[in-house]
Amino acid sequence: MTTAITHRSALLALVLGLGAALAQAAPKVGEPAPAFSAVDSNGRSVKLADFAGRTVVLEWTNHGCPYVQKWYQGGMQALQKASTGKGAVWLTVLSSAPGTQGHVDGPTANSMMKEQGAAPTHYLLDPEGRVGRAYGAQVTPHMYVIAPDGRLAYAGGIDSIASADVSDIAKAEPLARLAIDAVLAGRPVAKAQTRPYGCSVKYAN
């Protein structure tokens, strides 16, 4: 019994420690967004600096996560197209490590996007979790919006109802969409920091 309790305590400490580390690493809204470079699904190097002066949306993904699946029944694709149609850059980021849920290579990512009708500007592969950890991304989907001046304008949930049920999308406050539209219009984001929900990001150990 003592051994089991010790193991549970150690596991809890590990989980809490990871959460604290991510929280500490996460950039604050209003501060400069962390610079990064990653390879996209077509093998091209993509840098945040490439999009200086534009609104940038970051979406953390994992196709095996039911919360992501909920949004990829059409809602995420519509939000991607609406945002990029207004001039935003949309970067879908996959931080699942090799051997974990959601990990895919570039060609597989491209096939999935074609099948889903997804329309990000780039699909970034982050198997070592460098981009995810720089932003403190905790779940999929975790959403961030970077303003044209390079500052983080929004960080948090895609909407206000923590559910994997697609029918809840219409009932929820569309937090990410409101943030994107505000930044594109040059307005302050009313709710700039919200609680994200979803599956944990499957980082490498």
Side-chain angles (χ1 to χ4, degrees), residues 105-190:
D105 59 14
T108 304
N110 286 335
S111 295
M112 284 179 9
M113 284 190 289
K114 183 176 181 181
E115 182 178 345
Q116 294 168 334
T121 309
H122 295 278
Y123 189 113
L124 302 184
L125 304 176
D126 182 41
E128 294 180 351
R130 291 195 181 102
V131 181
R133 289 191 171 100
Y135 280 80
Q138 300 172 30
V139 298
T140 53
H142 201 154
M143 306 295 297
Y144 299 81
V145 184
I146 301 169
D149 65 1
R151 296 182 183 276
L152 187 63
Y154 177 77
I158 190 165
D159 68 9
S160 63
I161 298 180
S163 160
D165 186 345
V166 69
S167 68
D168 284 333
I169 292 177
K171 307 171 192 173
E173 184 179 7
L175 299 169
R177 180 175 65 78
L178 292 173
I180 295 165
D181 287 346
V183 174
L184 285 168
R187 302 191 311 267
V189 178

Side-chain angles (χ1 to χ4, degrees), residues 28-50:
K28 294 180 180 178
V29 169
E31 295 185 350
F36 63 80
S37 177
V39 174
D40 74 2
S41 57
N42 295 305
R44 294 176 294 196
S45 178
V46 175
K47 298 178 182 178
L48 179 59
D50 296 338

Side-chain angles (χ1 to χ4, degrees), residues 10-27:
L11 179 59
L12 179 60
L14 177 63
V15 170
L16 291 175
L18 176 60
L22 286 173
Q24 186 176 12

